[in-house]
Amino acid sequence: TYGGIFMAKYSTEFEKKIVAEYLKGNIGYGSLAKKYNIPSMNPIATWVAAFQSLGTKGISRSRQKKSLDRLQ
């Protein structure tokens, strides 16, 4: 939307792959974003934080909608 934040939706498997690669410790958010053509490193940081807090349950597409619904 105009004036809003647009976030591309990535598959849960893709997010898990990125998180796993980050957690190996050999590559940072910025390098992962470049490697996988993600326009910003922010989604990666969000995925990693969600995984560290909630495990694999933290990485799912449904969590974003539920979180937004609770804020309204």
Side-chain angles (χ1 to χ4, degrees), residues 31-44:
S31 297
L32 281 168
K34 286 181 184 179
K35 180 177 179 178
Y36 291 101
N37 275 339
I38 300 170
S40 166
M41 63 183 170
N42 293 337
I44 300 170

Side-chain angles (χ1 to χ4, degrees), residues 44-71:
I44 300 170
T46 300
W47 302 337
V48 170
F51 178 80
Q52 289 174 330
S53 295
L54 303 171
T56 55
K57 288 182 183 180
I59 302 176
S60 76
R61 295 173 85 178
S62 63
R63 76 164 158 38
Q64 293 175 349
K65 179 160 178 29
K66 289 177 186 173
S67 295
L68 291 175
D69 288 344
R70 287 186 198 138
L71 294 174

Side-chain angles (χ1 to χ4, degrees), residues 1-6:
T1 62
Y2 181 75
I5 297 173
F6 173 78

